[in-house]
Amino acid sequence: MSINYFRSAIENMEGYVPGEQPIGKKFIKLNTNENPYPPSPKVFDAVKARLNESMRLYPDSAMTKVKEKAATIYGVDSGEILVGNGSDDILSILIRTVVGKSDSVALTEPTYSLYKTLAEIQEGRIEKYPLTEGVCIPEEMFSSKAKLVFLARPNAPTGASFALDEVERLARSIKGVLLIDEAYADFADDNCLELYRRCDNIVLSRTLSKSYSLAGIRLGLAIGRPEVITQMTKVKDSYNVNALTGAAAIAALDDVDHMQKNVQIVKRDRAFLKVGLSRMGIESFPSQANFVMTRFAENGKAKSIFSKLREAGFLVRYFHLDYLGECLRITVGKHQEVVAFLDVLDKILHGDRK
Amino acid sequence: MSINYFRSAIENMEGYVPGEQPIGKKFIKLNTNENPYPPSPKVFDAVKARLNESMRLYPDSAMTKVKEKAATIYGVDSGEILVGNGSDDILSILIRTVVGKSDSVALTEPTYSLYKTLAEIQEGRIEKYPLTEGVCIPEEMFSSKAKLVFLARPNAPTGASFALDEVERLARSIKGVLLIDEAYADFADDNCLELYRRCDNIVLSRTLSKSYSLAGIRLGLAIGRPEVITQMTKVKDSYNVNALTGAAAIAALDDVDHMQKNVQIVKRDRAFLKVGLSRMGIESFPSQANFVMTRFAENGKAKSIFSKLREAGFLVRYFHLDYLGECLRITVGKHQEVVAFLDVLDKILHGDRK
């Protein structure tokens, strides 16, 4: 096209880069925080049962049954739930509901990089608050007048969680909406559901992608006051969630035990991974998520390790972050994968000492 | 919430109202233009084959295989395809790529009402061009300077198609992007694929919801120049299409024969429905889609018929449109459904004449 048809905000942005989903060659995938265990078998049965000629019909636009099931689990009213096509959809719907051109959006640095991308699409003004201390909400953030504040708890890509009383202080001191992204909350010691009930400017987002082992079906949830859900519903695509995903979600949420069992195993192996890294002298952040973030002071070292791991068949995620520098994020895989990973990493770092 | 957290553009808009998807009571559903026939059996096999523990993994963000399959069918390069979560997602992505605050968006009146909703979310200025003649592009539209022009061809909810040479003249005379929404194109005598190749400001949208009988899985496609697709890719959610829908789409697009066979039957029954309506003295628009739009001059008549049809177990869609007035839109169902519908309608209009 010879003429410039596009919004300059879009042309000038880089766009979010998702983690690699390799096609072809087999890797041990420790790069995108997927759960190493399969979802509840009930999910497969539910999808098969839904898979009939009614595929020709539009799904229920509101995903009423998913809402009802989620409301029971989270102890809220179904009018406080919005169902999304993954929690990325929830984040996109919320920012479009709240943030207009030139409105401020606050986020920590680092955090899930999609927040910045979404703010750029909205032509919002981005306020960045560096997490120089790693796990404390930066003091300046408490006086933010942003219309929307993004907080991932546990945070990505570090895995660290913010103290609940600090989060409450944040919710009460800011002027706008506080979106707490709880994508990893099932792997943490606590969550913000109680806090949500006390502070009416909090919106929570949840996903079935991590703890429920269902990244492939795309199901996210927003938990917010009914008046927030009403406005968000105007912005969402009418049929943003398909019929099969709806059926899968109900079955998954109906089998919380299955999820919790997998989460326990992942948490045990998270501790195992951290100890293994520590023994090799590798610094890692405290993690409340299903991954461990490591930091390498030496320039180029993380990148070099990343490449050698890849050659050896292990995919991890490499980050070069402001303030924190070069890091590798390692998803907690199955126990044997963690053992094999630590073994390969040891050889990369120290050579074959046999 | 006591404070006003929302964009006024969102608070002030009504939001798109999707057609009723009844829960519980059984209706003959002639209200949301769903295909009365099931999708290809290959779709069910493909979803079942994909339904395994890899559900725990994220899908391919680009939906590469769907792109490749669609590219073959439409005779374009796979770099000219974007895969969406239904064609509503495609429309939303495109408008967010092209239209900023206060930019103009042109549309005909009537047309698919979602265009207006999407323009409102973007705070675009909406230019409405009344279709007083029904099937001709309004002369004033050719001099529109809008950044984005929406044209549904065949149009909804009238079902009428615009002449191809008029569409070409529109593409060449406007200053912005021409989105031609071809949701119903498989039911029409022709489509805009050839035109797309000649005019580089045309973007086409397609869906599997209607002709492919897959409204339940949410799969839409954009066909546009690679530079358009590149910018749209920045705006779309990374994982906007789930793994099961991807598998279903490939299987459906692999069985074009199945789709075309169903389309032929629907077109035959569309003619049958039109003749039946005409015999009852009911005016209807020429239709190139899988529905027939009827107009009732008498005030309140369409609404009254709508209610009586609903009581008798038939759902159709009622519209009260600027310029066209009160209308009922009837989706073409199975042959026996059309026969039964005409019979009930005749009784409503003329009483039981036995």
Side-chain angles (χ1 to χ4, degrees):
Chain A
M1 291 193 171
S2 48
I3 314 172
N4 182 352
Y5 290 115
F6 313 111
R7 290 170 57 203
S8 54
I10 305 303
E11 282 202 298
N12 295 336
M13 66 184 264
E14 280 181 34
Y16 175 74
V17 180
E20 183 180 357
Q21 293 295 329
I23 300 172
K25 189 183 167 188
K26 281 275 178 198
F27 285 97
I28 294 181
K29 264 193 101 262
L30 308 176
N31 68 329
T32 48
N33 301 341
E34 289 137 337
N35 197 310
Y37 303 104
S40 164
K42 291 181 182 171
V43 168
F44 302 127
D45 295 342
V47 172
K48 277 180 203 149
R50 187 68 179 79
L51 191 64
N52 53 45
E53 79 152 272
S54 72
M55 285 298 94
R56 69 182 184 82
L57 301 173
Y58 284 94
D60 171 23
S61 169
M63 285 281 131
T64 312
K65 287 179 185 170
V66 179
K67 280 188 184 199
E68 286 166 1
K69 180 61 70 180
T72 309
I73 288 176
Y74 300 122
V76 298
D77 190 84
S78 69
E80 295 173 81
I81 304 271
L82 186 92
V83 188
N85 184 40
S87 70
D88 288 354
D89 188 31
I90 296 293
L91 302 172
S92 170
I93 292 165
L94 180 64
I95 198 170
R96 292 161 71 202
T97 303
V98 171
V99 176
K101 185 174 176 170
S102 304
D103 287 340
S104 290
V105 179
L107 39 87
T108 63
E109 180 73 43
T111 193
Y112 181 31
S113 63
L114 181 68
Y115 307 149
K116 180 167 165 278
T117 301
L118 294 174
E120 286 170 349
I121 294 174
Q122 287 304 98
E123 297 181 64
R125 284 190 297 119
I126 299 169
E127 299 176 1
K128 285 187 196 176
Y129 295 94
L131 289 172
T132 44
E133 306 297 317
V135 296
C136 295
I137 297 173
E139 201 50 44
E140 300 72 27
M141 202 167 189
F142 292 95
S143 48
S144 170
K145 291 183 173 55
K147 290 205 73 175
L148 179 59
V149 177
F150 281 114
L151 196 77
R153 184 182 189 279
N155 197 20
T158 61
S161 218
F162 303 103
L164 274 179
D165 57 352
E166 288 292 277
V167 178
E168 177 157 8
R169 183 157 75 91
L170 184 67
R172 296 193 187 281
S173 62
I174 61 171
K175 304 291 175 219
V177 173
L178 177 61
L179 182 285
I180 307 176
D181 182 342
E182 297 205 311
Y184 299 101
D186 288 326
F187 300 100
D189 296 335
D190 55 24
N191 63 53
C192 295
L193 274 163
E194 267 309 314
L195 202 55
Y196 159 76
R197 292 192 187 93
R198 289 203 299 275
C199 304
D200 70 2
N201 64 334
I202 288 180
V203 176
L204 302 179
S205 69
R206 291 285 181 119
T207 175
L208 301 196
S209 294
K210 318 289 184 183
S211 55
Y212 285 91
S213 310
L214 283 169
I217 68 152
R218 319 304 307 125
L219 198 293
L221 298 161
I223 305 170
R225 295 293 182 276
E227 49 270 45
V228 182
I229 302 301
T230 300
Q231 299 301 327
M232 288 176 76
T233 301
K234 292 184 190 174
V235 173
K236 88 173 183 79
D237 274 359
S238 299
Y239 303 109
N240 60 333
V241 179
N242 75 91
L244 300 179
T245 293
I250 293 164
L253 292 169
D254 218 23
D255 195 357
V256 173
D257 282 355
H258 179 93
M259 177 276 281
Q260 283 173 339
K261 231 175 281 173
N262 288 342
V263 162
Q264 286 313 314
I265 301 171
V266 167
K267 284 167 80 169
R268 193 192 62 200
D269 285 319
R270 176 178 73 198
F272 180 81
L273 173 60
K274 273 191 72 78
V275 169
L277 291 167
S278 165
R279 281 192 184 142
M280 279 181 252
I282 298 172
E283 184 190 356
S284 68
F285 288 86
S287 175
Q288 292 271 299
N290 68 336
F291 56 84
V292 172
M293 180 77 153
T294 61
R295 181 149 65 157
F296 295 85
E298 195 186 323
N299 204 11
K301 182 135 185 179
K303 192 97 189 207
S304 151
I305 295 170
F306 169 82
S307 301
K308 285 174 184 161
L309 282 168
R310 201 175 194 288
E311 276 166 37
F314 290 84
L315 276 187
V316 299
R317 188 116 187 224
Y318 166 82
F319 291 91
H320 191 159
L321 299 170
D322 296 342
Y323 312 106
L324 297 182
E326 288 192 286
C327 302
L328 294 181
R329 193 190 64 189
I330 304 135
T331 305
V332 178
K334 290 180 180 167
H335 184 70
Q336 285 314 312
E337 293 172 338
V338 177
V339 170
F341 168 80
L342 287 169
D343 189 48
V344 164
L345 182 61
D346 191 45
K347 287 191 178 116
I348 289 171
L349 289 172
H350 307 113
D352 202 330
R353 289 176 293 191
K354 267 179 269 177
Chain B
M1 289 194 176
S2 47
I3 314 172
N4 182 353
Y5 291 115
F6 313 112
R7 290 171 55 205
S8 55
I10 305 302
E11 282 203 298
N12 296 334
M13 65 184 267
E14 280 180 35
Y16 176 75
V17 181
E20 183 180 355
Q21 293 295 332
I23 300 172
K25 189 183 169 187
K26 281 276 178 199
F27 285 97
I28 294 181
K29 265 194 98 260
L30 308 176
N31 67 330
T32 48
N33 300 340
E34 289 137 338
N35 198 309
Y37 303 104
S40 164
K42 291 180 182 173
V43 168
F44 302 127
D45 296 341
V47 172
K48 276 181 203 149
R50 186 70 177 78
L51 192 63
N52 53 46
E53 79 152 271
S54 72
M55 286 299 94
R56 70 182 182 83
L57 301 174
Y58 284 95
D60 171 25
S61 167
M63 286 280 131
T64 312
K65 288 180 183 171
V66 178
K67 280 189 182 197
E68 285 166 2
K69 180 61 71 182
T72 309
I73 288 175
Y74 299 123
V76 298
D77 189 84
S78 70
E80 294 173 82
I81 304 272
L82 186 92
V83 187
N85 184 39
S87 69
D88 288 354
D89 187 32
I90 296 292
L91 302 172
S92 170
I93 293 166
L94 181 64
I95 197 170
R96 292 161 69 201
T97 304
V98 171
V99 177
K101 185 172 176 172
S102 304
D103 287 340
S104 290
V105 179
L107 40 86
T108 64
E109 180 74 41
T111 194
Y112 181 32
S113 62
L114 180 67
Y115 307 149
K116 180 168 165 279
T117 301
L118 293 174
E120 286 170 348
I121 294 174
Q122 288 304 98
E123 297 181 65
R125 283 190 298 118
I126 299 169
E127 298 176 1
K128 286 186 194 176
Y129 295 95
L131 288 172
T132 45
E133 306 296 318
V135 295
C136 296
I137 297 172
E139 200 52 42
E140 299 73 26
M141 202 169 190
F142 292 95
S143 47
S144 169
K145 291 182 174 56
K147 289 206 73 175
L148 179 60
V149 177
F150 281 113
L151 196 78
R153 182 182 189 279
N155 196 19
T158 61
S161 220
F162 303 104
L164 274 179
D165 56 353
E166 288 292 277
V167 178
E168 178 157 9
R169 183 156 76 89
L170 183 67
R172 296 191 187 282
S173 62
I174 60 171
K175 303 292 175 219
V177 173
L178 177 61
L179 183 283
I180 308 176
D181 182 342
E182 297 205 312
Y184 299 101
D186 288 326
F187 300 100
D189 296 336
D190 53 25
N191 63 53
C192 294
L193 274 164
E194 267 309 315
L195 202 55
Y196 158 75
R197 291 190 188 94
R198 289 202 300 277
C199 304
D200 70 4
N201 63 335
I202 289 179
V203 176
L204 303 179
S205 69
R206 291 285 182 116
T207 175
L208 301 196
S209 294
K210 319 290 183 182
S211 55
Y212 285 92
S213 309
L214 283 170
I217 67 150
R218 319 306 305 128
L219 198 294
L221 297 161
I223 305 171
R225 294 293 181 274
E227 48 269 47
V228 183
I229 302 300
T230 299
Q231 299 301 327
M232 289 175 76
T233 301
K234 293 184 191 173
V235 173
K236 88 173 183 76
D237 273 359
S238 298
Y239 302 108
N240 61 333
V241 179
N242 74 91
L244 300 178
T245 294
I250 293 165
L253 292 168
D254 216 25
D255 195 357
V256 173
D257 283 356
H258 179 93
M259 178 276 282
Q260 284 174 339
K261 231 175 280 172
N262 288 343
V263 163
Q264 286 313 312
I265 301 171
V266 168
K267 285 166 80 168
R268 192 192 64 201
D269 286 317
R270 176 177 74 197
F272 180 81
L273 172 61
K274 273 192 72 79
V275 169
L277 290 165
S278 166
R279 280 193 184 140
M280 280 179 250
I282 298 171
E283 183 190 357
S284 68
F285 288 86
S287 175
Q288 292 270 298
N290 67 336
F291 56 83
V292 173
M293 180 78 155
T294 63
R295 180 148 65 159
F296 296 85
E298 195 185 320
N299 204 9
K301 182 136 185 177
K303 191 94 191 211
S304 149
I305 294 170
F306 168 82
S307 301
K308 286 174 183 161
L309 281 168
R310 201 175 192 289
E311 277 166 38
F314 290 84
L315 276 188
V316 300
R317 187 118 186 220
Y318 167 82
F319 292 91
H320 191 160
L321 300 169
D322 296 341
Y323 311 107
L324 297 182
E326 288 193 286
C327 301
L328 294 180
R329 192 190 65 187
I330 305 135
T331 304
V332 179
K334 290 180 179 167
H335 184 71
Q336 285 314 313
E337 293 172 338
V338 177
V339 169
F341 168 80
L342 288 169
D343 189 49
V344 165
L345 182 62
D346 191 46
K347 286 189 178 121
I348 289 171
L349 289 171
H350 308 111
D352 202 332
R353 289 175 294 192
K354 268 178 268 174

